[in-house]
Amino acid sequence: MKKLKLGGYLPGDSLIHRLDPRTKLLGGLAIIITILAVNSWPVFVLNTVLIFLVVYLEKIDFKAVLQGVKWMWMIILLSFTFQCIFVKGTPLVVIGRLIITREGLYLGVLTFLRLLILYLSSTILTMTTSPLKLASGLEALFSPLRYLKVPVNQLAMLISISLRFIPTIIEEAEIITKAQKSRGAPFSSAKKLVRLQTGMAVFIPLIVGSLQRATDLATAMESRCYTGGSNCSRLKKLNFGRTDLMALALIAASCILPLFCFHGRFWQVPR
Amino acid sequence: MPIIEIRNLSYVYHPNTPYEKKALDDISFTVGKGEFLGIVGSNGSGKSTLIQHFNGLIYPELGSILVSGQDTRDKDFREQLWKKVGLVFQFPEKQLFEATVFDELAYGLKNMGLAAAEIEMRVDEALKSVGLEPEQSRKRSPFSLSGGMMRRVAVASVLAMKPDILVLDEPTAGLDPEGSSHILQAIKKFQQDKGVTVILVSHCIDDLILLADRLAVLDQGKLLAWGLTRDVLAQENLAQYDRLLPDYLKMLFDLKKRGWVINTGLLTVEEACQEIAKILRRDGT
């Protein structure tokens, strides 16, 4: 495991790292909804500026943030090109039979920004929030569902445990793969059936190990009196502070205000 | 001529990220043919990373490793290396997956492309060598065995492949004395009968002191000491790593610190007793 996984948590102590997970979840959601629902220029410009401000503040190497986007660029560029070519309207540039229209260019740039912001906002969330914080943030946000008899605590525990064990299981899979390779397991065989059988040589021990670990974990939790109720307290309380309020205000300003000011008026797509 | 030659080997996990960790730092030593080498180090000293270099699971980016004279950076050589270098991972019972003990042992042999008769013979031989009765255990499911028996099956599955070099990562961790002596005896016998090179990793010198011809001591990715077991134990700088040492050696180093002129290159408690008695007699008369 020499390379880090795309969007994996990178520990740090930046302003963005220290924000409450609820702020980041709500903020990210707000930006995504705005970007998907609105078609006007100022909203896009504001949100793009906002997201790059966040990237600047999180103090993670920008290259690391864009590490996984190599294939994303393909999608982004393709959709940009198709929008430019296939949208009918006022011709802007004519190259032989290809006609790039003003409307097409406009929609192309919008799609480009839309995909970029979608990618960045979700990546920033997972890169700056530890899985446990993310789970407690989700629990806090979903807690009103308690009144509908949804077992929010248990669901949150489920999410935390799954997130917690993903790296462990990946590591174990790597070790078992290496152990089977040391016994000559043909992982790169040309025959599909052989490759499938070899996969089983990793899959079976992995399942056996996971079941064993789940049993042990259940015993360990029960011996510490875990009963799945809502009476569990937390070691680290979520703390919604002034920075969080400011961050949410900023996001609200860039997401909601432009709706009232510009939507449906002169910045709309010309039809 | 050495069968494994390690030259200035370094290895870094997750380079250029906050998780960056130097697992191995400029390590050089050699392993002779037919030798029993013990690698000692505490958790995180780089032992497990080092041994994965021996059978080509990891290949060096800085420095190099030659196995029987060939460089493991050569991809074709590296991919065939598992036939020559048998690697038993830590807690190898976690890798068991076949329906019967026989199939489990035959897995590596089938991958080597051996004939059925040869496989039968080798499976029985390997089971006997780790103290399991072939008739009783062949048809059993490996998952129905006790932890110690599963470990023995896993070790046997590598022994059956008859590698030229056998590498084991803490093969006795968490076993009772009976289980560990079965495994250690099988390993020693394997080395003596077949002239095989054995590399055994442990976090405690105690396990290795009587088995190993040579010791290599690792600490935080650096090679602290390497040489004949007695020479390594006689070294001054080993004292500061006393968490790796057995009790009687700790005492010898302690006496040395208090000004005794004492040889610490001793392998057993009896030798230590004699050495202390000798010094007391000399000082008394």
Side-chain angles (χ1 to χ4, degrees), chain A residues 231-244:
Chain A
N231 301 325
C232 287
S233 57
R234 288 191 171 276
L235 184 62
K236 282 184 184 157
K237 278 243 158 81
L238 295 180
N239 186 13
F240 192 87
R242 230 177 350 169
T243 22
D244 293 293

Side-chain angles (χ1 to χ4, degrees), chain A residues 14-227:
Chain A
S14 70
L15 183 69
I16 305 298
H17 280 89
R18 276 180 277 130
L19 280 181
D20 191 293
R22 286 171 293 186
T23 312
K24 286 186 263 189
L25 279 164
L26 283 178
L29 199 67
I31 292 179
I32 288 173
I33 291 176
T34 317
I35 285 302
L36 290 178
V38 180
N39 260 338
S40 66
W41 270 109
V43 180
F44 270 82
V45 173
L46 266 175
N47 278 299
T48 315
V49 171
L50 187 68
I51 208 90
F52 277 96
L53 181 72
V54 174
V55 171
Y56 170 73
L57 284 176
E58 71 173 358
K59 292 196 178 115
I60 291 175
D61 190 8
F62 193 60
K63 259 193 249 159
V65 180
L66 289 181
Q67 203 181 34
V69 216
K70 271 176 202 142
W71 54 270
M72 276 281 293
W73 285 121
M74 288 283 291
I75 300 175
I76 291 177
L77 280 179
L78 270 181
S79 56
F80 176 73
T81 328
F82 284 148
Q83 298 272 22
C84 283
I85 296 168
F86 292 121
V87 174
K88 292 194 168 59
T90 333
L92 205 63
V93 186
V94 182
I95 313 162
R97 291 182 60 196
L98 283 180
I99 304 164
I100 297 172
T101 61
R102 216 181 109 207
E103 290 80 359
L105 192 65
Y106 180 88
L107 280 178
V109 173
L110 278 196
T111 316
F112 170 80
L113 287 177
R114 199 168 261 163
L115 290 174
L116 189 69
I117 293 174
L118 271 182
Y119 170 76
L120 282 178
S121 51
S122 50
T123 313
I124 290 166
L125 176 68
T126 52
M127 279 183 115
T128 61
T129 319
S130 77
L132 282 179
K133 269 191 169 174
L134 203 61
S136 53
L138 280 174
E139 181 184 1
L141 289 178
F142 282 122
S143 61
L145 291 178
R146 265 198 311 244
Y147 301 109
L148 299 173
K149 299 244 156 67
V150 178
V152 179
N153 294 86
Q154 269 126 304
L155 283 179
M157 182 59 85
L158 208 72
I159 298 172
S160 330
I161 290 178
S162 334
L163 290 173
R164 159 67 187 77
F165 279 100
I166 290 172
T168 314
I169 289 176
I170 291 176
E171 197 183 333
E172 185 142 309
E174 276 167 3
I175 291 174
I176 295 173
T177 307
K178 282 178 173 177
Q180 307 299 26
K181 260 190 200 165
S182 305
R183 292 200 287 163
F187 282 104
S188 47
S189 164
K191 291 177 196 152
K192 276 207 180 94
L193 194 68
V194 176
R195 278 212 306 274
L196 195 70
Q197 279 171 342
T198 313
M200 293 307 278
V202 176
F203 193 64
I204 293 173
L206 204 59
I207 293 288
V208 173
S210 303
L211 288 177
Q212 182 60 49
R213 194 167 17 241
T215 318
D216 291 349
L217 184 68
T219 315
M221 284 167 77
E222 276 176 1
S223 64
R224 287 170 213 180
C225 305
Y226 179 80
T227 50

Side-chain angles (χ1 to χ4, degrees), chain B residues 219-232:
Chain B
D219 188 68
Q220 293 179 1
K222 289 196 171 64
L223 185 67
L224 202 72
W226 168 66
L228 294 172
T229 307
R230 278 181 197 275
D231 296 347
V232 168

Side-chain angles (χ1 to χ4, degrees), chain A residues 1-4 9-11 172 175-176 178-186 188 197-198 200-201 204-205 208, chain B residues 11-12 14-15 17-19 52 55 57-58 61 82 87 89 94-97 104 107-108 111 143 157 161:
Chain A
M1 205 172 129
K2 280 194 83 177
K3 268 223 173 114
L4 289 170
Y9 174 57
L10 282 173
E172 185 142 309
I175 291 174
I176 295 173
K178 282 178 173 177
Q180 307 299 26
K181 260 190 200 165
S182 305
R183 292 200 287 163
S188 47
Q197 279 171 342
T198 313
M200 293 307 278
I204 293 173
V208 173
Chain B
Y11 192 82
V12 183
H14 307 303
T17 70
Y19 291 110
Q52 286 178 32
N55 78 338
L57 285 174
I58 303 178
E61 275 164 16
W82 61 272
L87 179 55
F89 273 76
K94 279 189 186 168
Q95 75 190 30
L96 301 179
F97 72 101
E104 194 63 58
Y107 183 69
N111 288 332
F143 297 107
S157 77
M161 285 156 54

Side-chain angles (χ1 to χ4, degrees), chain B residues 148-177:
Chain B
M149 301 265 260
M150 281 167 88
R151 178 81 58 91
R152 282 193 251 166
V153 169
V155 172
S157 77
V158 175
L159 290 182
M161 285 156 54
K162 296 191 181 168
D164 296 337
I165 304 169
L166 179 65
V167 187
L168 304 107
D169 192 353
E170 308 242 9
T172 59
L175 287 189
D176 58 9

